[in-house]
Amino acid sequence: MPGQGRSKPLAPPHRDHPMKEPHNRLPIIFILVTLVLDAIGIGLILPVMPDLIHDIEGVDVSRAAAWGGILMTCFAVMQFLCGPLLGNLSDRYGRRPVLLLSLATMALDYVVMALAGSIWLLLAARIVGGVTASTQATASAFIADISRPEDKAARFGMVGASFGIGFVIGPLIGGFLGELGPRAPFWAAAALAMANLVLGYFVLPETVTDRIRRPFEWRRANPLGAFRSMGRLPGVRPLMLLFFLYEFAMFIYPAIWAYFTQYRFGWSAGTIGVSLALFGIGVAVVQGGLIRVYLRVLGERNMVWFGLTYNFVAFLVIGFVGNSLAVLLMTPLIALGAVVTPGLLGIMSKAAGDDRQGELQGAVSSLRSVAMILSPLVMTQIFALFTGESAGVVLPGAPFVLAAITMLVCATVFVAPRARAAQT
């Protein structure tokens, strides 16, 4: 493992053995940068994927979208499978080797993507990329290792913020550098990963000691285990179905946006990157600030209803409006409907009971992962079906129509339990 012998293991902080804050700062910066890079790796390629696949395969945007959906799904599958695996490996072998080896592999993977001359090599690179981007559990464990109990909540908040920052700047970097060529963003990403690897080699301590080290067990690394808990949460199962359907529909933006806007409006990689960043900023503003206003004015249930209705209208407008400037100006406003997830999580958390919050969050995380796996495949295939040479009806907005219909299904699922309760 890279640099495994560079740093002596550090005991986890206790009241009688706290880690000094100055020694914490650089390792925490490294961890946060690593998480930003994980998120950048997802958003970075979105603006340039249509051009990159065309450059490799020579196909039109319809076929490029179909391949793009496969690439994104493979990436999501590997993240889903390998997150628990890497977390458990870090419990056995340490955080340092897992994180540094992941970064080294990530840098090499970006180089492979920059040089890829076939779609199969690109597919293999995205599979490896999904593994190397599965380090959130390991990074969070490191934060827990070095943090005092009173500091943990704030530092875990920084973990979430790092992902948010990465999802905003990833499309911006990808779009900006994509103007230089579809492979330029990957060289930049490789350089960032390598620079962070060097930083981590010198500043990252090992926090897993023999006192807390435990044997690796495949049973603990099973990513499907969370689904078993759903049967133990009967009061929230309909809401879980609603959550899955909603996440499936909302993932349309990263799944299809680049192909849709290039086909419909002829947007460049730079414009696509700016629009995705605007959407990410809008979501951050809504969920980080405006959500308090929504809750105070509407409450959780009405907030869910508002979000479902707003997204239904937004999907239809995007699907049928043909004005490029209007859609670009709408992009940050679309995020005003991004209140369904926090509303649902609040309702489910109250229904599950205090002793089942861990089960609930594990099930929610698994459902989101499955939605991220399935949505790109479905949305891109529908786009290809309605824009390809053999399309009977040319409708590039067809995936957005499907997403609007999904909002109607979500509304039906949301109202059904109350309707049944009223009949009894």
Side-chain angles (χ1 to χ4, degrees):
M1 298 292 180
Q4 194 167 357
R6 293 285 302 180
S7 300
K8 294 180 180 180
L10 293 175
H14 300 285
R15 294 192 179 186
D16 59 340
H17 186 72
M19 286 185 65
K20 301 293 186 182
E21 190 63 29
H23 296 298
N24 274 350
R25 194 168 297 131
L26 281 176
I28 290 175
I29 290 173
F30 165 78
I31 291 295
L32 296 180
V33 172
T34 299
L35 293 171
V36 169
L37 288 176
D38 285 351
I40 285 176
I42 299 173
L44 180 83
I45 70 169
L46 296 179
V48 298
M49 282 308 290
D51 293 334
L52 179 63
I53 296 174
H54 172 76
D55 187 48
I56 292 175
E57 287 291 288
V59 295
D60 60 18
V61 69
S62 298
R63 292 298 304 158
W67 271 113
I70 294 171
L71 295 172
M72 189 175 291
T73 291
C74 289
F75 185 92
V77 167
M78 297 313 296
Q79 276 198 309
F80 174 63
L81 294 176
C82 294
L85 175 63
L86 293 187
N88 279 271
L89 285 173
S90 77
D91 285 341
R92 171 63 180 86
Y93 298 104
R95 320 293 184 213
R96 177 182 168 88
V98 169
L99 289 169
L100 294 184
L101 183 58
S102 294
L103 270 174
T105 308
M106 179 186 293
L108 179 61
D109 187 64
Y110 281 130
V111 172
V112 171
M113 293 185 72
L115 297 174
S118 74
I119 196 67
W120 301 109
L121 185 57
L122 192 62
L123 177 62
R126 288 315 283 162
I127 291 173
V128 174
V131 177
T132 62
S134 303
T135 53
Q136 184 178 9
T138 304
S140 297
F142 180 89
I143 292 291
D145 290 342
I146 67 170
S147 299
R148 300 179 180 92
E150 61 270 22
D151 296 330
K152 287 185 179 181
R155 286 180 173 171
F156 283 134
M158 294 167 65
V159 169
S162 298
F163 263 82
I165 291 170
F167 279 122
V168 170
I169 66 177
L172 275 179
I173 295 174
F176 175 74
L177 294 178
E179 298 292 333
L180 304 177
R183 299 174 187 268
F186 301 102
W187 290 113
L192 287 173
M194 186 58 65
N196 198 40
L197 172 64
V198 173
L199 173 65
Y201 182 83
F202 288 106
V203 307
L204 187 68
E206 182 54 73
T207 58
V208 176
T209 65
D210 290 339
R211 189 183 65 81
I212 64 172
R213 193 184 309 276
R214 63 175 177 80
F216 176 81
E217 298 179 29
W218 282 106
R219 174 178 57 85
R220 294 177 181 268
N222 175 19
L224 301 175
F227 288 111
R228 292 196 295 267
S229 69
M230 294 183 192
R232 299 191 291 268
L233 298 166
V236 299
R237 276 183 290 183
L239 297 177
M240 286 185 176
L241 174 61
L242 167 55
F243 178 84
F244 168 75
L245 292 172
Y246 178 78
E247 291 289 314
F248 173 86
M250 292 303 292
F251 204 73
I252 190 174
Y253 293 111
I256 204 68
W257 188 254
Y259 308 98
F260 169 74
T261 53
Q262 186 181 99
Y263 181 95
R264 187 75 175 272
F265 308 120
W267 284 4
S268 67
T271 305
I272 294 169
V274 168
S275 66
L276 286 170
L278 288 174
F279 178 74
I281 292 171
V283 171
V285 169
V286 169
Q287 296 192 352
L290 290 181
I291 189 72
R292 295 176 178 83
V293 178
Y294 281 96
L295 284 169
R296 187 170 61 250
V297 175
L298 298 175
E300 289 173 341
R301 291 195 66 86
N302 287 334
M303 190 168 71
V304 172
W305 279 118
F306 169 80
L308 293 177
T309 304
Y310 189 95
N311 287 314
F312 171 76
V313 175
F315 286 140
L316 288 182
V317 170
I318 294 172
F320 291 104
V321 167
N323 186 284
S324 173
L325 180 60
V327 171
L328 183 60
L329 293 176
M330 277 180 56
T331 305
L333 299 178
I334 295 169
L336 290 174
V339 294
V340 174
T341 295
L344 271 178
L345 291 177
I347 295 171
M348 287 192 290
S349 181
K350 292 175 182 176
D354 292 339
D355 60 339
R356 291 185 171 180
Q357 295 302 307
E359 283 184 282
L360 173 64
Q361 296 306 319
V364 163
S365 177
S366 295
L367 286 173
R368 179 181 281 120
S369 297
V370 174
M372 291 174 63
I373 290 169
L374 295 179
S375 184
L377 274 182
V378 174
M379 297 300 183
T380 54
Q381 292 298 325
I382 289 177
F383 177 80
L385 181 65
F386 281 89
T387 58
E389 295 179 357
S390 59
V393 177
V394 177
L395 183 61
F400 290 95
V401 175
L402 173 62
I405 294 172
T406 305
M407 291 298 102
L408 294 179
V409 177
C410 287
T412 303
V413 173
F414 193 47
V415 76
R418 286 204 164 190
R420 286 195 298 268
Q423 295 173 357
T424 59

